[in-house]
Amino acid sequence: MPPKDDDLKLFSDAEEGKIDELRLELHKEERKTRPPPAMWKIVVIMISIALVLAALAIGLAKIIDNADSGGTRDFSDWVGIMFLILLGLAIFSGSIIGAWGGQRNIPIRIVSPGDASVIGTGVFVSGYVIEDCIDNEIELTIYGKTKEVIYEQTIPINEDGLFYSELSEAFTDIKKTENVSLEAWIVSAKSTELKFVRRKKKLDELNVKKYGLKIGSLQFFPIIYKDFSDKAKALFDPKRKEKGYIEKVKMEGGRTTNIFFPEKDKDDKYVPFSFEKIAEMRQNAIYFDIKRRRRGYYSLIFLAMAILFALYPLIDVFLS
C-alpha cells in the first residue's frame, strides 16, 4: 500500500544525515505533580471536617429553633434535620469520588517512537512501567501493515522502572516504506481481576493467582494477574539510517489557556528527550496513579461520615 500524502510530507524532513531533535509528548498524568499526602493525614483532615460540619449543623439548628419559637418542632428535631442533610451530602460526595477517573491509566508507556513517527533501521524504543511486572520484563512485538508479526523481543526493566532497546535488526526484511505498529506488553505482579468461569485448559495458558472453585473441567471465580499493554504506530523508511525519529507533532501555533487554573498551562506539552525526563514522567505517573487508586478509600471515609451523621437522628427516633 503506497504511503498517504501525510506520510510523504513527513519524508521531506527525514533526510539521511539530518540530526534528529527527539521530543517527548507529555500526557496529563505525566506532568509535574506533588506526591500524594499520607493516608493518615487525609483521615485526620476528614475527621476535622466532619466535626466542624457537625458543630455548624448544631449551631444552625439552634438559630432556627430560636427563630421558630412556638413552632411544631423543637431543637432536637432541627438538629436531626441538619444531620440528615449532612448525611445526604456525604453519600453524594462519596459516590462522586468513587466513580471519578479510571484506575491504572498508564501502567506501561512507550515514549519512543511516538505515534505517526518516521523511523529508520537504527531506531530505538524506550518507555517505562509504574507496575511491578512478573519476571520484571516486557514483551515487545512489532507488527506489519497486515498485522503479521515481524519482530519479537523481551526487554528487561531496570531498577528505575525504565526499558529501552535498539532495534537495529527489527526491519531487515522490509525493503520498502511500510506502516508498522509496536506493542509493549506486561503481566502485572499486583493487579488482578476476577473471572466468572473459565475452562481449566484455558486457565493453564494464563497467569493465575488463584484457581477458585472447580466443577468438572470448569473453574468458577478464578483470579488472574492483569495484563497491560501500550501501542505506538510508526512509518518505517528503509533509506533512513539514524537511531532517532521525527515525530509528527505540531510544535507551532497558539496555545489555549485554562482560565480557571492558568498555572497548569505553564509547562510545555512537548519536551526534549532524555532518560532523566522519562524517569521524571514515570514518577509523576506513579503519583497520579496512587491518587486514582485511593478513590475507594475516600468513598469509605465519606460512608463512615454518613453513618456518624445518621446516629443522632436514629437515636432521637428510638427515644422519642
Side-chain angles (χ1 to χ4, degrees), residues 154-175:
T154 300
I155 304 177
I157 300 169
N158 68 13
E159 62 276 6
D160 297 321
L162 309 182
F163 60 85
Y164 46 87
S165 177
E166 181 182 342
L167 307 179
S168 57
E169 300 178 359
F171 308 101
T172 53
D173 295 333
I174 301 179
K175 305 303 181 183

Side-chain angles (χ1 to χ4, degrees), residues 14-38:
E15 300 171 358
E16 185 174 345
K18 180 181 176 67
I19 298 177
D20 297 340
E21 182 181 4
L22 308 186
R23 300 183 73 84
L24 301 171
E25 179 182 1
L26 294 182
H27 294 181
K28 65 177 182 179
E29 300 92 344
E30 299 164 341
R31 291 182 174 273
K32 191 170 182 62
T33 183
R34 296 179 181 177

Side-chain angles (χ1 to χ4, degrees), residues 34-54:
R34 296 179 181 177
M39 275 301 298
W40 69 267
K41 292 183 178 180
I42 296 175
V43 172
V44 170
I45 291 172
M46 296 302 291
I47 291 175
S48 302
I49 292 174
L51 292 175
V52 171
L53 290 175

Side-chain angles (χ1 to χ4, degrees), residues 65-93:
D65 181 59
N66 291 337
D68 190 39
S69 58
T72 58
R73 290 186 174 89
D74 57 16
F75 173 64
S76 62
D77 291 335
W78 287 114
V79 172
I81 292 172
M82 293 297 106
F83 273 42
L84 287 174
I85 293 174
L86 291 179
L87 183 153
L89 290 175
I91 293 177
F92 176 77
S93 301

Side-chain angles (χ1 to χ4, degrees), residues 284-300:
N284 291 331
I286 289 175
Y287 292 156
F288 186 90
D289 186 66
I290 291 174
K291 294 176 182 178
R292 287 292 177 95
R293 284 187 284 125
R294 283 183 175 178
R295 72 193 194 277
Y297 297 114
Y298 297 152
S299 294
L300 288 176

